[in-house]
Amino acid sequence: MSHAATHDQHDDHHGAPKSFFQRWCMSTNHKDIGTLYLVFALVMFFIGGSFAMLIRAELFKPGLQLMQPYFFNQLTTMHALVMIFGAIMPAFVGLGNWMIPLMVGAPDMALPRMNNLSFWILPFAFTLMLSTLFMAGGGPAGGWTMYPPLSLQSDSLAYVVFAIHLMGISSIMGAINIIATILNMRAPGMELLKMPVFVWSWLITAFLLIAVMPVLAGAVTMLLTDKYFGTNFFNPGGGGDPVLYQHIFWFFGHPEVYIMILPAFGIISEIIPTFARKPIFGYKAMVFAIASIAFLSFIVWAHHMFAVGLPMGAEIFFMYATMLIAVPTGVKVFNWVSTMWGGSMTFETPMLFAIAFVILFTIGGFSGLMLALVPADFQYHDTYFVVAHFHYVLVTGALFAIIAATYYWLPKWSGRMYSEFWGKMHFWNSVIWVNVLFFPQHFLGLAGMPRRIPDYNVAFANFNMISSIGGFLFGASQLIFLGVLIHGVWFSKKKATDRVWEGAKGLEWTVPSPAPHHTFEVPPVIHDDELAHGHVND
Amino acid sequence: MTSGGIRRSFTAWATLALALFGGVAQADPSPYQLNMERGASTWSQVPYDLNNISLGVCVVIGILVFGAMFIAMFRFRKSRGAVAEKWSHNTMLEVVWTTIPVIILIVLAYLATGGITSWSDTTGSQMTVKVTGYQWKWRYDYVDYLGKPISKVGFMSKLDTQSDQTRQLDSGMDPYAVKVGDENTYLLNVDKPLVVPVDTKIRFVITGADVIHSWWVPALGWKLDAIPGIINAAWTNITVPGTYRGQCAELCGQDHGFMPIVVVAKSKADFATWLAEQEAQSAAPAAAPAAASTAAAPAAAETAAAPATAK
Ligand code: HEM
Ligand SMILES: [Cu+2]
Ligand SMILES: [Cu+2]
């Protein structure tokens, strides 16, 4: 029965449904849903980016020029929520949707209808959340971390909590789908230890998602009942404890930051071997490093809480555990460099972004290591030094990887080559301005500027102005990206070949460009030579 | 370029150099400051040293790794005729680059652990000050000094009027004009600072009255959250008399950016005089209206702290 039903939905086995509504709103096709996710993420990226532009405009010079402090706090809160849950995470899910079935030789995701649902929840969740900005009491203004008691003072708490529940449901469904696909739908011969590193990274990320999204849901639900139903989980007046919230939140929050970086590790591990024309160095070590980072991410959460007054033993434990993460992270970086060593490299746009990733993400890792040292963190915590840290790992880390992946696979999606010249323009502008934007923030933090403030002493003026200028130009550079995408999807005259990149290996490059609506309806016969990691013996 | 211009650029470079190489005498933030300040307490050297050491370690590793990368990008380009090799494994290398970081980390962890241990030891203090965070001001209550309880010395400390007027949206006032002497104090000055003696181990007990705040004076080397229902403890021992400025470091609502902290460290003799004046003032009936307004606040602070004592 179920077979017949699915069969009926594809009126034409070789093309997509003709009607717009049928194709995009009722889709069960992993490629179309992947596209939806990616377009959604791009829209959110520009919305979150416009909030950032307003923040940097207010911080351009000392004194308040543009907005009241409360609105500023709404902007920082919304910027983070939109970027994390709206841009970075859906972008990775989109890439996973598009590429995982193609990379493991599966005809589609394991649970196509759930796939549709998990996407279509998101626009509603974000409409709900963004609508609070237009309400009388304003949007949430207590930071993306939503620490009580402050977050309980917000009038829009209920909207945000419900929106987060929806995002969580969407993420969990997406994760289940990815796990089910990878574990059950691989083509014969695609053994686990022959899978692309990107697929591995998503498999592990999906487990992280399933483990921690319910924890976030629990934490925000307790906020909700504390505010509206008279419970006292976090209210000291009723015997509760505000610090309990922070433990629960960061038990979600730290794995969450790895949810945003592990798939990026996977992407970079695909791109560098392709353009170095040399197999990845230490495939098994790469997979093992991802797995151990994922494991460790569960036992480091209190490094976000060194200044809450934890007992000494706890500070020491969480410091050691956090420092330990630097080891597998270092291994990954060394392996990427060794992959390049002895290769035959070319520097197309995806490779440029991947190389920038390796350098700039590592700088973010360095500041992470410094933050892990408790006495030093007593100074760094909640300053611009932390802001610089997480933007290096998230913007030049996660986001650069997403951009690299987009350039890398776009020709496969659209069947056209994007403009290499404009891709490189986008790259050089991004990489220069992002450093002008974020590097001086290290200095600001070291000099003592707290984060999340709308105004500051004149001693901080110089670097703030430099940072804002970098910010505006980085923002403007992303319009180049938009242009390259529009051109590369619809207008470019240059047709992409099936293999696209000379050094590309893996099943996704064996299907035509653009990838037809249905692929691998018959499982492919796998030759180990065609796989990037077909002959793993180390 | 005029001689004034030269002098000014010289001062700018001197500040830069100072900031770079340790900020010897510097306590409050300065323009183009690049590094953490050394601080002015017996413990503040710890985070400063850890910062410099770990930064040094990162820079060295960075030079090695990025250096190798740039050499690779230069030597192994296809356009120079490089032919890709086939290897993808080297056990020796992998063992080395796992072990060396572990050793470096152990050293750093050892140093940091010593710092935590000394920071956590609040015993043997000669003075206690209670700090309470409010939306959006601080309250200081002096609890005891040299073994003797202090009664009724406590006050609110909030943003100074000049900064407060200047910081209003569209005030038309210039942040650069907010000065005390030569120093720009925009958003870093209060109506009534916390006054403490130097060379005294001072224990701070820190709590919050409404939401979470964080009490941070960079020159003391640490920050600690002020959490409703919880009383945190930390200590300092300031070695150099002076005025040390800081800010609330935990988002606490709309005026989070506008609740600075100022600590004035005086010699023991000057502090004793100051304390006697304060005690006399709070005892004098003439100060009744002022006392009434402060009296309400400790009561509120007590209620907020009650659950913690009940635990
Ligand atoms: C070597 C690896 C890393 C270490 C040792 C590390 C360590 C830390 C520490 C100790 C903090 C807390 C700082 C503070 O608030 O005082 C922090 C904050 C943060 N880290 Fe990392 N980190 C690492 C990698 C990453 C990665 C890969 C990401 C994300 C892709 C990330 C994202 C963040 C974010 C978002 C925050 C700030 C959260 C907030 O307070 O809003 N970090 N990191
Ligand atoms: Cu973390
Ligand atoms: Cu505060």
Side-chain angles (χ1 to χ4, degrees):
Chain A
M1 185 236 125
S2 75
H3 181 260
T6 8
H7 209 266
D8 282 348
Q9 273 181 353
H10 313 147
D11 38 354
D12 169 1
H13 242 277
H14 299 284
K18 300 269 173 324
S19 110
F20 182 87
F21 181 81
Q22 278 227 331
R23 169 147 190 204
W24 296 108
C25 299
M26 294 167 64
S27 177
T28 54
N29 179 287
H30 75 100
K31 300 186 185 76
D32 283 352
I33 295 176
T35 304
L36 286 171
Y37 266 111
L38 289 168
V39 170
F40 178 81
L42 191 68
V43 172
M44 286 295 142
F45 174 51
F46 280 101
I47 293 178
S50 62
F51 295 159
M53 294 299 106
L54 288 171
I55 292 170
R56 279 321 317 172
E58 180 54 68
L59 292 172
F60 188 72
K61 58 179 192 172
L64 291 179
Q65 289 85 29
L66 302 174
M67 60 189 81
Q68 293 293 354
Y70 192 71
F71 185 66
F72 181 90
N73 292 350
Q74 295 177 38
L75 284 180
T76 52
T77 306
M78 279 295 194
H79 163 73
L81 289 170
V82 166
M83 285 302 196
I84 293 171
F85 294 104
I88 304 281
M89 291 171 69
F92 281 132
V93 181
L95 292 169
N97 250 296
W98 244 105
M99 301 318 297
I100 291 172
L102 286 180
M103 288 176 136
V104 301
D108 204 310
M109 296 294 281
L111 308 157
R113 294 175 190 204
M114 192 166 86
N115 208 10
N116 174 296
L117 182 59
S118 66
F119 171 76
W120 276 106
I121 285 176
L122 285 181
F124 294 94
F126 279 87
T127 309
L128 191 68
M129 194 176 81
L130 288 168
S131 70
T132 61
L133 283 176
F134 303 98
M135 292 178 185
W144 81 281
T145 48
M146 296 172 289
Y147 284 2
L150 182 65
S151 60
L152 302 177
Q153 294 178 348
S154 154
D155 289 338
S156 50
L157 183 76
Y159 291 86
V160 177
V161 167
F162 189 44
I164 289 178
H165 281 156
L166 290 176
M167 296 168 203
I169 292 171
S170 159
S171 291
I172 292 172
M173 290 197 297
I176 291 174
N177 214 342
I178 283 173
I179 295 176
T181 308
I182 297 174
L183 293 185
N184 298 310
M185 313 251 309
R186 277 169 292 127
M190 177 58 78
E191 289 150 31
L192 281 177
L193 279 176
K194 286 183 184 171
M195 294 197 309
V197 185
F198 177 66
V199 178
W200 259 113
S201 69
W202 241 123
L203 179 64
I204 293 167
T205 303
F207 278 103
L208 285 186
L209 273 170
I210 292 181
V212 300
M213 291 314 284
V215 178
L216 174 66
V220 296
T221 306
M222 285 186 260
L223 288 180
L224 193 73
T225 61
D226 266 12
K227 184 164 167 81
Y228 292 104
F229 302 104
T231 57
N232 289 303
F233 292 110
F234 311 128
N235 172 17
D241 179 357
V243 176
L244 173 64
Y245 174 86
Q246 299 187 21
H247 282 292
I248 304 173
F249 181 86
W250 287 114
F251 186 81
F252 145 81
H254 189 82
E256 166 68 16
V257 306
Y258 282 97
I259 287 167
M260 294 188 282
I261 204 67
L262 297 185
F265 289 168
I267 289 165
I268 301 305
S269 305
E270 299 304 321
I271 292 177
I272 290 183
T274 298
F275 295 95
R277 294 166 181 76
K278 182 165 159 282
I280 188 134
F281 185 92
Y283 170 83
K284 277 188 192 163
M286 288 306 239
V287 172
F288 187 72
I290 295 179
S292 42
I293 291 173
F295 168 75
L296 287 173
S297 77
F298 284 107
I299 54 165
V300 299
W301 76 88
H303 65 215
H304 296 273
M305 303 167 59
F306 285 149
V308 304
L310 299 174
M312 188 175 89
E315 309 248 59
I316 292 176
F317 170 82
F318 284 105
M319 174 173 78
Y320 292 172
T322 304
M323 294 176 80
L324 214 53
I325 292 200
V327 177
T329 312
V331 166
K332 300 203 72 79
V333 173
F334 300 143
N335 285 8
W336 286 321
V337 176
S338 314
T339 306
M340 294 162 130
W341 196 271
S344 167
M345 273 189 276
T346 51
F347 300 90
E348 289 86 345
T349 312
M351 182 62 162
L352 290 176
F353 273 101
I355 288 170
F357 171 100
V358 176
I359 296 175
L360 299 174
F361 170 80
T362 304
I363 292 178
F366 285 150
S367 54
L369 177 65
M370 296 169 75
L371 287 163
L373 304 170
V374 175
D377 187 65
F378 285 161
Q379 292 280 39
Y380 305 138
H381 176 66
D382 263 333
T383 68
Y384 260 83
F385 191 83
V386 178
V387 177
H389 159 67
F390 64 72
H391 283 96
Y392 267 86
V393 285
L394 286 173
V395 177
T396 58
L399 181 63
F400 270 30
I402 291 166
I403 295 175
T406 308
Y407 282 112
Y408 186 53
W409 284 314
L410 189 69
K412 178 57 64 191
W413 302 335
S414 74
R416 299 168 202 269
M417 288 308 281
Y418 62 87
S419 157
E420 200 54 62
F421 173 80
W422 285 104
K424 288 197 167 115
M425 283 295 281
H426 174 220
F427 169 76
W428 285 109
N429 274 289
S430 295
V431 82
I432 290 168
W433 301 124
V434 84
N435 282 292
V436 175
L437 166 57
F438 293 121
F439 207 81
Q441 296 186 356
H442 291 112
F443 305 138
L444 286 171
L446 290 169
M449 181 170 161
R451 67 193 276 208
R452 294 168 165 169
I453 56 174
D455 196 5
Y456 48 82
N457 181 265
V458 301
F460 305 126
N462 305 308
F463 284 132
N464 268 296
M465 189 176 285
I466 295 172
S467 178
S468 285
I469 292 170
F472 301 144
L473 292 170
F474 180 72
S477 313
Q478 303 321 307
L479 299 176
I480 307 178
F481 185 40
L482 194 61
V484 178
L485 288 179
I486 292 172
H487 172 260
V489 170
W490 286 297
F491 301 105
S492 171
K493 298 267 174 328
K494 202 170 159 213
K495 295 274 172 250
T497 60
D498 293 355
R499 181 137 315 260
V500 183
W501 312 108
E502 186 192 34
K505 284 193 159 185
L507 292 182
E508 79 262 41
W509 308 109
T510 61
V511 304
S513 300
H517 203 56
H518 295 285
T519 38
F520 298 132
E521 280 164 303
V522 178
V525 178
I526 293 179
H527 308 285
D528 284 352
D529 291 334
E530 288 210 313
L531 302 181
H533 320 291
H535 300 285
V536 176
N537 34 28
D538 47 279
Chain B
M1 200 191 248
T2 64
S3 72
I6 294 171
R7 199 171 330 117
R8 221 171 307 132
S9 67
F10 175 76
T11 349
W13 279 107
T15 336
L16 200 90
L18 264 181
L20 253 178
F21 302 111
V24 190
Q26 164 234 335
D28 298 322
S30 57
Y32 287 117
Q33 180 178 337
L34 295 181
N35 200 2
M36 190 187 281
E37 62 172 88
R38 175 170 297 183
S41 80
T42 51
W43 189 81
S44 61
Q45 183 89 12
V46 172
Y48 177 72
D49 287 343
L50 270 175
N51 170 68
N52 291 357
I53 296 169
S54 58
L55 178 64
V57 167
C58 292
V59 168
V60 171
I61 301 177
I63 290 173
L64 293 176
V65 175
F66 303 150
M69 238 177 113
F70 279 104
I71 295 173
M73 284 192 279
F74 183 75
R75 270 182 55 191
F76 305 108
R77 335 170 53 101
K78 197 178 175 216
S79 57
R80 291 182 83 237
V83 179
E85 290 160 27
K86 292 269 176 282
W87 50 267
S88 64
H89 189 53
N90 186 327
T91 314
M92 232 327 255
L93 265 180
E94 294 183 73
V95 170
V96 168
W97 70 44
T98 319
T99 326
I100 292 181
V102 170
I103 295 169
I104 297 173
L105 289 175
I106 289 174
V107 175
L108 286 176
Y110 172 77
L111 295 174
T113 307
I116 305 176
T117 322
S118 54
W119 184 83
S120 302
D121 180 13
T122 55
T123 57
S125 65
Q126 298 146 291
M127 177 177 177
T128 306
V129 178
K130 180 177 169 208
V131 178
T132 314
Y134 289 83
Q135 283 177 316
W136 292 276
K137 51 189 175 284
W138 295 94
R139 181 178 173 83
Y140 301 113
D141 290 286
Y142 290 71
V143 180
D144 61 45
Y145 179 51
L146 300 178
K148 284 197 290 290
I150 302 172
S151 58
K152 297 204 192 103
V153 178
F155 49 85
M156 289 288 180
S157 177
K158 64 174 198 313
L159 187 66
D160 68 304
T161 323
Q162 203 190 352
S163 294
D164 196 38
Q165 285 169 352
T166 309
R167 66 116 174 160
Q168 300 302 323
L169 188 60
D170 301 323
S171 71
M173 294 162 76
D174 182 10
Y176 287 87
V178 182
K179 284 188 161 188
V180 174
D182 268 354
E183 192 192 5
N184 184 293
T185 56
Y186 179 57
L187 301 183
L188 290 181
N189 202 6
V190 293
D191 55 352
K192 196 160 182 202
L194 173 70
V195 180
V196 295
V198 293
D199 299 325
T200 306
K201 183 164 182 182
I202 307 166
R203 190 168 74 107
F204 291 98
V205 288
I206 301 178
T207 188
D210 32 45
V211 301
I212 303 175
H213 304 264
S214 191
W215 198 79
W216 181 34
V217 178
L220 305 189
W222 49 265
K223 63 175 65 69
L224 190 57
D225 288 358
I227 306 170
I230 285 176
I231 296 181
N232 276 327
W235 66 275
T236 194
N237 191 340
I238 301 173
T239 50
V240 192
T243 303
Y244 303 106
R245 301 175 192 282
Q247 283 175 272
C248 175
E250 177 66 54
L251 179 61
C252 58
Q254 64 172 26
D255 288 348
H256 163 57
F258 309 102
M259 48 182 294
I261 296 155
V262 180
V263 175
V264 175
K266 291 182 189 278
S267 70
K268 285 184 172 173
D270 289 354
F271 176 74
T273 323
W274 179 86
L275 187 65
E277 268 170 29
Q278 298 295 310
E279 284 184 306
Q281 248 179 43
S282 63
S293 71
T294 35
E302 236 89 273
T303 6
T309 6
K311 260 191 204 172

